[in-house]
Amino acid sequence: METRLSQFAIQYRWLLLLFTLLGTALASYGMKDFQFDGSAKAFVDDNNEGLRLLSEIEDTFGRTNNAVILIGPRDEANLAEREDFIFQRQQLQLLNEFTEKSWLLPHARRVDSIINHQHSWGDEDNLYVESLLEELSERSEQDVANASRIFRQEPAVLNRLLTADGNFAGLIIEFTIDDKDQDAANEAARALYKLVDSLELKYPDVQLYASGTLVNNYVTMELAYTDTSKVVGTMYLAMFVLLALLLRSALAMLSIVAVTIISVLAGVGLACWFGAVFTSLTMSAVSIIITVTIAHCVHIFIGFFQNYRDAEHKYEALLETLSINLQPVFLTSLTTVVGFVSMNLSDMPPMRDLGNISAAGVAVSFFCTYTLLPAFIYALPFKPQKQVEGKGFHLFMDKFASFVIRRHVLLLISCALFSIFALYLSFQNVINTDLSKAIDKPHFIRDDNDKVDEHLGGIFNIQYQFSAKPGQSITDPEYLKALDALTAFLRAQPEVTNTFSFSDVIKRLNKNMNQDDQAFYRIPDDGDMAAQYLLLYEMSLPAGMDLSNQIAVDKKSSRLAVTFVNMDTNAVKLFWQRITDWQQQNMPEYMRHRGSSYTTIWADLTENILFSSIKGAVLALLLISLVLVVVFRSFKYGLISLVPNLLPAAFGFAFWKLYSGELNFGLMMVLTITIGIVVDDTVHFLSKYRRALEQGAANAEEAVRQAFASVGPALFVTTLVLVTGFSILMTSQFFDNSTQGLLICVVLVAALLLDFLMLPPLLLVFRDRAEDKAAIAEESDQKSGLAALGEGSPSLQ
C-alpha cells in the first residue's frame, strides 16, 4: 500500500498539485471573515460567572473602557520639597484645555478631572453644586487655594484625580466602545495620543502619562503587529535559512517554504470558514502548523538525498523516500490530529478553537507534504549530494548509536533517575502572572503605567454592584451603613489607593444640608431624608456629570469600584477573597456581591488556562499512545511511547523551576505548541525501528542502529532549526512570548535527548524474543547441534 500510494503521488503529481492549489485558494478565501478578539471575554464561555457579573455592571452603569491620564512636572528634581505644582496657573490651564477637548474625543461619554469635579455645599436649606475651577480666568488665587484644600479632603478626588501633595493630577475619560469594536477603540486611542502630543508641545514644563484599559489594549495590539512582523518574521526567516544550510539546498528550502505557507493558509482559512474567532491563544495554531510541516518536509528531503546518492534515477529515490516515510508521517499527523481534537473537551472556547484549527492545519500539512513535495522534487533540478566516506554526520550517528547500544542499561537508569527528579521539580512551580509586566522594558507604556501606579495607584480595580433590600432603595439607612462600613474597610487595606463609593455622596450631602457641620458627615438615620437629598443633588448636576456611573436609574443598586496597586494574579486573588470574606461576616445576605473586573477575570483565567492546557496535552498524549497501540498492534509500544512523549514537558518545567519558579500566561501554551514535534520524534524513531526489524535486522541492537542512521539526522536537523527559530522569539518585547520561546527550546532539546538516550534503551531492555532473530537462530543452531550429537552417541542417548 505504501508503494502504491507513493507511486500514485508521483505519477499524478501535476493533477494533485493543481487540486491542492485550488483547494488552498478555496480554503484561504475564508480568511476574508478573519476575526480577532483580544478581550478577556473571548477566553470564557458566556455562562462564566465573572463575565456575567461584569456584563451586568456595565449594562447598569456603563462600560469600563477608559483612559487614565496622569499630569505632572517634566522635571521631578526636588519634587519632595515642592507642593501644589498642579495648582499653578499654567498647569491649571492645561488641565482646563485637556478636560474641554477630551469631551470631543471619538466615543467619549464622560470626563472627570479637578476642573469639572462637582463640589457641593449647603447654606441653610439650600444646596449648591458647582465646579471650583471651571471658568479659570475668573478664579482668584484664593479660590485656587480653597479648591486645593477642599480636594485634599474629598474621597472621590484624593488619589483618583489628585495626589495628596498636589504635584500630580489625574484625568479619567470613559468611552462608549464595545470590547469587540477594535476600529472604534483604535480611533479613540489615536485621537487621544494626538491630543496628548499637542498639549505636551504647548506646555513644555508638563509631562503627560497615558494609561487605562483603552490605552493599554491599543498599545498592546499595535505592539503585537510590529512584534509579529519583526521578531516572529525574523524567527521563521532564520529557520528557513538554516534549513537551506543544513540541507545544502536552497531549492529544498524554497519547497519547504511553499508547502508551509500553503498549509498555514489552508488551515487558517478552513477555521475561518467554520467561524473560529482568533485570540492571542489560538494564534499559536500558526506556530504548530509551521513546526509540524517543517518536520514532515525535513524527513522527506533528508531521506530523498540519502536515497538519491545510491539510486540511478530520481524516480527511484523519491519513490523509496515516500514509501519509507508514509507510515511515520501519516502516524504523526493522525496522532497529532487526534490529540488536538481532544481539546474540544476543554471548558475554554479558545482551547477548543486552538485544537480544531491545529487539527485542520496538521491534516492539511500531511496532505500537502504528499501532494506538493513530490511535484516540487520531481520538477526542480536536484542533484545527488556526495558524501565523503568515513566523515560527516552519518558517521557520528553510527558512533553515537554504538555508544547508546553499549551503555543502554546505564543510560536507562540515569534517565529514569533524572526524570523522577524533573517530575518532582516541575510540580514545585507556582502559577502566577503579573499583568502590569506583560510588556518588557524599555517601552513607553510600561513607563506610563508605572508612573500612574506610583502616584494614583495603578490601573487595576474590582467593581461591585450592591443591590438594595427587595422593596427598598439605595437610600435605605441599613443599606447605606453596610456600604459605608465596607468602604471604610477597603480604605484601611494597604493595597487600596482609592475607593469610589456612593456612601461618600450621601455622607457629604447630609453634611451639606446640616450647615456643613462635620459632625453630620455620616449616614443619615432617615431614609426618606436621604432620598430627598439625593434628588436635590441630582437635579443640580450639569449634563454629563450625573451619577449614572454610580447608581442605577431605578435606584435599586449602586456601584463601588476599588482601585489598588499593581499586583500579580495570586495577590489579586488573595485580596479579592479577603473582601468576600469580610462581606460574609459583616454585610446582609441580600447585599453581598462577588465583584468582577477584567483584572479578576484574568486572575481566574491564568490558573484555568494552565490546567486546561495540561489536561488537554495529557489527554492528547494518552490518545496518541492508544492510536499507536492499535496501529503497531502492540500494547508495549504504546506504553513505551508515553515515556518520551510526556517527559520532555517535565524536563521543561523542571528547568523553569530552577530558572524562575513562576508559570505565566505565555508558558501555558508550551505543551500544546510542542506536542506535534515531540510526537514526531517518537513516532519516527519507533517506526524506523520496527521497519528495520521487519526488513530483516539481525537483532534489536541492529534495528536501533538502523533507526539512528535513518531518522537521526532528520530529528537533529528539525530540532536544531526549531530551537534556533524559537530562540529568536526570546527577543520579543512581550514578556509572555520571550519566556515561551525559552521554554519551547528547552522542551524541544529534552525531546530529542530523550528519543536518543532513553527510547532506544527502553526498546532494548523490553524487547521480545521475536525481535532477537540472531539470538533465536543461534539458540536453534545449538539445539540442532546437540540433537545431532545425541543421535550419534550412545552415552548421550
Side-chain angles (χ1 to χ4, degrees):
M1 183 183 293
E2 292 171 351
T3 303
R4 286 197 300 270
L5 289 175
S6 299
Q7 287 174 336
F8 180 84
I10 299 173
Q11 183 177 353
Y12 296 100
R13 57 191 179 276
W14 298 119
L15 182 62
L16 291 172
L17 175 64
L18 178 62
F19 177 78
T20 303
L21 293 178
L22 289 175
T24 301
L26 179 62
S28 59
Y29 183 69
M31 293 179 68
K32 71 182 190 314
D33 298 320
F34 181 88
Q35 301 178 63
F36 185 87
D37 190 350
S39 69
K41 293 182 178 180
F43 286 80
V44 294
D45 282 317
D46 293 336
N47 59 358
N48 176 269
E49 184 182 5
L51 179 59
R52 179 184 61 79
L53 292 175
L54 182 60
S55 297
E56 289 177 357
I57 293 171
E58 291 186 336
D59 290 342
T60 305
F61 306 105
R63 297 195 177 276
T64 56
N65 213 341
N66 66 6
V68 179
I69 310 298
L70 178 71
I71 300 99
R74 186 174 297 274
D75 181 12
E76 296 189 26
N78 301 319
L79 190 61
E81 302 174 6
R82 293 187 285 165
E83 279 195 6
D84 286 350
F85 171 81
I86 287 299
F87 291 96
Q88 297 173 12
R89 283 287 171 175
Q90 186 182 40
Q91 283 69 261
L92 289 176
Q93 289 173 2
L94 180 150
L95 260 173
N96 186 66
E97 184 175 350
F98 205 154
T99 302
E100 291 179 355
K101 290 184 176 180
S102 293
W103 284 104
L104 303 178
L105 291 172
H107 313 290
R109 75 176 182 91
R110 184 185 180 100
V111 181
D112 285 290
S113 73
I114 59 173
I115 296 296
N116 64 356
H117 176 71
Q118 300 302 303
H119 172 64
S120 62
W121 54 282
D123 182 13
E124 296 184 353
D125 292 332
N126 297 316
L127 178 69
Y128 299 91
V129 181
E130 64 175 347
S131 56
L132 299 178
L133 293 176
E134 279 186 329
E135 301 177 355
L136 188 62
S137 60
E138 300 179 7
R139 304 292 180 178
S140 66
E141 293 302 319
Q142 185 60 45
D143 291 335
V144 172
N146 287 336
S148 173
R149 175 183 55 80
I150 291 171
F151 287 151
R152 284 177 166 85
Q153 300 170 358
E154 177 59 61
V157 174
L158 191 61
N159 291 329
R160 179 171 173 263
L161 302 178
L162 182 71
T163 56
D165 60 9
N167 288 325
F168 292 87
L171 184 145
I172 302 173
I173 311 168
E174 296 180 5
F175 297 89
T176 55
I177 300 175
D178 187 85
D179 294 319
K180 295 183 179 180
D181 193 350
Q182 194 60 47
D183 291 336
N186 291 343
E187 178 189 14
R190 292 190 187 105
L192 175 61
Y193 270 117
K194 185 177 180 180
L195 177 59
V196 167
D197 292 340
S198 66
L199 292 174
E200 283 188 326
L201 286 174
K202 187 174 180 179
Y203 299 92
D205 294 334
V206 176
Q207 182 75 44
L208 303 179
Y209 307 90
S211 185
T213 54
L214 176 88
V215 172
N216 277 275
N217 289 341
Y218 168 74
V219 173
T220 300
M221 291 295 294
E222 291 292 304
L223 182 59
Y225 289 132
T226 57
D227 198 70
T228 299
S229 60
K230 292 180 180 179
V231 177
V232 179
T234 305
M235 163 182 147
Y236 289 121
L237 177 63
M239 285 185 184
F240 291 122
V241 169
L242 186 58
L243 275 174
L245 295 174
L246 293 174
L247 296 176
R248 294 185 293 169
S249 172
L251 292 176
M253 180 269 289
L254 292 174
S255 300
I256 295 174
V257 170
V259 174
T260 302
I261 292 174
I262 290 172
S263 298
V264 170
L265 289 176
V268 174
L270 282 173
C272 293
W273 272 113
F274 288 98
V277 176
F278 285 79
T279 65
S280 57
L281 200 68
T282 53
M283 286 302 292
S284 300
V286 174
S287 296
I288 292 169
I289 297 170
I290 291 175
T291 54
V292 171
T293 305
I294 288 176
H296 288 345
C297 293
V298 167
H299 285 292
I300 297 297
F301 269 111
I302 287 184
F304 170 71
F305 289 137
Q306 287 176 344
N307 293 325
Y308 203 13
R309 282 194 294 265
D310 303 323
E312 294 183 6
H313 302 288
K314 181 188 288 187
Y315 175 85
E316 296 174 359
L318 182 56
L319 179 61
E320 177 69 11
T321 301
L322 294 178
S323 300
I324 291 175
N325 285 284
L326 179 59
Q327 186 196 54
V329 171
F330 173 74
L331 280 179
T332 298
S333 302
L334 174 63
T335 52
T336 305
V337 166
V338 169
F340 282 125
V341 169
S342 69
M343 291 183 180
N344 281 283
L345 298 175
S346 172
D347 297 330
M348 295 179 56
M351 288 296 291
R352 299 194 293 267
D353 287 337
L354 175 63
N356 293 329
I357 297 168
S358 300
V362 170
V364 169
S365 173
F366 166 75
F367 188 76
C368 291
T369 301
Y370 270 80
T371 57
L372 298 180
L373 270 191
F376 292 157
I377 293 175
Y378 212 81
L380 296 174
F382 290 104
K383 295 180 181 180
Q385 296 180 351
K386 296 181 180 179
Q387 179 179 0
V388 180
E389 292 298 328
K391 295 183 180 181
F393 191 72
H394 291 280
L395 177 63
F396 169 76
M397 276 285 108
D398 185 63
K399 290 184 177 180
F400 187 78
S402 298
F403 165 76
V404 172
I405 292 168
R406 187 170 60 252
R407 304 289 186 185
H408 69 274
V409 175
L410 178 61
L411 285 173
L412 183 58
I413 294 173
S414 301
C415 289
L417 292 175
F418 275 111
S419 299
I420 293 171
F421 183 60
L423 284 168
Y424 167 76
L425 284 180
S426 65
F427 284 101
Q428 305 306 308
N429 286 289
V430 176
I431 305 169
N432 200 16
T433 297
D434 191 337
L435 298 175
S436 67
K437 297 178 180 177
I439 299 175
D440 281 332
K441 287 187 174 183
H443 195 277
F444 71 88
I445 194 63
R446 274 293 302 274
D447 296 335
D448 286 6
N449 284 338
D450 289 347
K451 186 63 71 171
V452 171
D453 179 51
E454 178 184 353
H455 294 288
L456 294 181
I459 59 174
F460 300 131
N461 64 70
I462 304 176
Q463 302 195 47
Y464 294 87
Q465 181 176 359
F466 293 112
S467 298
K469 182 187 296 185
Q472 299 289 335
S473 73
I474 55 174
T475 55
D476 175 34
E478 180 186 62
Y479 173 90
L480 289 170
K481 288 176 182 179
L483 182 63
D484 188 50
L486 174 62
T487 303
F489 166 77
L490 291 173
R491 286 178 178 150
Q493 305 309 301
E495 304 93 338
V496 173
T497 57
N498 182 266
T499 304
F500 193 54
S501 174
F502 172 64
S503 64
D504 292 330
V505 175
I506 293 296
K507 289 163 65 177
R508 187 177 74 245
L509 292 176
N510 190 45
K511 170 189 167 185
N512 296 154
M513 300 306 292
N514 286 277
Q515 305 299 314
D516 276 328
D517 185 349
Q518 189 64 32
F520 286 89
Y521 186 73
R522 54 179 174 79
I523 301 298
D525 296 324
D526 188 341
D528 292 335
M529 188 64 69
Q532 292 181 35
Y533 292 165
L534 178 60
L535 177 62
L536 186 60
Y537 180 63
E538 286 188 289
M539 293 175 62
S540 304
L541 291 171
M545 299 303 294
D546 55 31
L547 294 178
S548 60
N549 65 335
Q550 275 190 286
I551 62 176
V553 175
D554 60 4
K555 306 296 188 293
K556 298 297 183 181
S557 64
S558 71
R559 166 177 167 258
L560 182 147
V562 54
T563 306
F564 46 88
V565 296
N566 292 341
M567 298 187 293
D568 58 48
T569 53
N570 284 345
V572 168
K573 286 189 285 187
L574 289 173
F575 173 63
W576 188 19
Q577 185 60 47
R578 198 188 316 154
I579 299 174
T580 301
D581 292 341
W582 189 94
Q583 289 187 55
Q584 294 290 332
Q585 298 172 11
N586 299 280
M587 293 185 79
E589 186 175 355
Y590 67 84
M591 279 189 70
R592 295 170 194 166
H593 192 271
R594 182 171 181 264
S596 184
S597 68
Y598 288 116
T599 305
T600 58
I601 290 176
W602 277 115
D604 274 342
L605 278 176
T606 301
E607 188 170 326
N608 291 342
I609 290 175
L610 179 62
F611 286 142
S612 292
S613 176
I614 293 175
K615 182 176 70 175
V618 172
L619 177 60
L621 291 172
L622 290 174
L623 288 175
I624 286 169
S625 296
L626 182 61
V627 171
L628 293 178
V629 168
V630 175
V631 173
F632 288 147
R633 289 175 291 179
S634 170
F635 188 70
K636 179 187 73 173
Y637 286 127
L639 285 178
I640 288 177
S641 69
L642 275 175
V643 176
N645 283 346
L646 288 172
L647 286 180
F651 277 94
F653 286 123
F655 164 82
W656 201 257
K657 168 59 183 175
L658 300 175
Y659 180 80
S660 169
E662 289 191 345
L663 298 175
N664 60 47
F665 180 79
L667 301 181
M668 299 166 196
M669 294 313 301
V670 169
L671 292 179
T672 308
I673 293 174
T674 57
I675 190 171
I677 297 304
V678 170
V679 171
D680 177 86
D681 291 353
T682 303
V683 168
H684 272 274
F685 198 98
L686 277 174
S687 180
K688 298 301 168 58
Y689 171 79
R690 282 178 52 84
R691 190 179 188 89
L693 289 173
E694 291 169 358
Q695 292 185 345
N699 49 37
E701 285 81 0
E702 182 59 29
V704 166
R705 191 183 304 277
Q706 290 185 29
F708 268 112
S710 176
V711 80
L715 298 186
F716 178 82
V717 168
T718 301
T719 303
L720 180 59
V721 167
L722 295 178
V723 167
T724 300
F726 281 107
S727 64
I728 295 175
L729 191 61
M730 293 161 56
T731 64
S732 170
Q733 199 148 16
F734 281 109
F735 179 72
D736 290 348
N737 285 354
S738 60
T739 54
Q740 184 183 90
L742 173 59
L743 189 54
I744 285 175
C745 290
V746 174
V747 172
L748 291 177
V749 171
L752 180 68
L753 292 176
L754 287 166
D755 278 307
F756 278 2
L757 297 176
M758 194 171 190
L759 179 57
L762 280 171
L763 294 171
L764 292 173
V765 170
F766 295 102
R767 58 186 166 186
D768 298 327
R769 285 178 57 81
E771 297 174 9
D772 240 339
K773 297 176 182 177
I776 293 172
E778 183 179 348
E779 184 178 340
S780 178
D781 290 344
Q782 289 176 352
K783 289 181 178 179
S784 298
L786 287 172
L789 183 61
E791 291 175 359
S793 172
S795 59
L796 285 176
Q797 288 177 352

